[in-house]
Amino acid sequence: MQHPSDTPAPSCDNPFAGEPAGVLFGLPMPMAGALALRGECIGADRAQVRMAFQPQFGNSRLQAHGGAIAALLDCALASAVRAHDPAGHGVATIDLTLHFVATASGDLIASAHCERRGRSISFARGEVRAEDGTLVALATGTFKLLPRQPVP
């Protein structure tokens, strides 16, 4: 099985470039704004999301807190699951398993791949790396696809 870093990144022709804070690949998400998440790439069952370092989401050593890293991975994996139709689907996380490998400060980049998409349940895996390439965390997740409802 290949890891996300073993395969080419998705094309960065991001149709969602320039989204306002609180929107992630077309999906309104206030938490994405609070955590300074920015969708960088989406497509071909892959997604890449950057989290700008914010001291208020650091631990006692002023490194990225594990909870913030978990939220970043949850959003990146969920984005990969809906990469086939980002405007048409949202997701609900069923299961998320994380493995923290190293500490980091500064911006973090999560890359994720949808391993299998079913009619309603999908599986994804991904990783977080520091800007210098250091592997910070690994994750797998199970997600339920939900058709997006028009916003009134």
Side-chain angles (χ1 to χ4, degrees):
M1 226 187 251
Q2 290 182 325
H3 289 15
S5 62
D6 295 338
T7 54
S11 167
C12 283
D13 296 334
N14 185 358
F16 301 98
E19 289 180 314
V23 179
L24 188 61
F25 298 122
L27 185 65
M29 187 183 309
M31 188 186 70
L35 290 173
L37 302 184
R38 293 283 179 243
E40 293 188 333
C41 301
I42 193 165
D45 291 332
R46 297 182 183 282
Q48 182 172 302
V49 179
R50 177 180 295 264
M51 181 173 68
F53 181 76
Q54 297 181 83
Q56 68 268 30
F57 297 117
N59 58 25
S60 62
R61 295 174 309 282
L62 296 179
Q63 296 165 326
H65 188 279
I69 295 169
L72 170 60
L73 277 163
D74 185 39
C75 291
L77 271 65
S79 294
V81 163
R82 63 189 188 91
H84 68 295
D85 186 9
H89 288 88
V91 299
T93 305
I94 296 171
D95 175 71
L96 186 65
T97 301
L98 297 135
H99 300 283
F100 296 101
V101 179
T103 60
S105 55
D107 287 8
L108 298 176
I109 301 117
S111 299
H113 179 250
C114 181
E115 294 291 337
R116 177 153 184 346
R117 182 178 300 105
R119 282 178 288 189
S120 64
I121 304 296
S122 297
F123 303 89
R125 70 182 152 104
E127 64 183 30
V128 170
R129 291 188 179 267
E131 286 186 298
D132 68 2
T134 301
L135 179 63
V136 175
L138 300 164
T140 57
T142 308
F143 300 85
K144 180 169 180 54
L145 280 168
L146 303 168
R148 297 258 327 262
Q149 301 299 319
V151 178

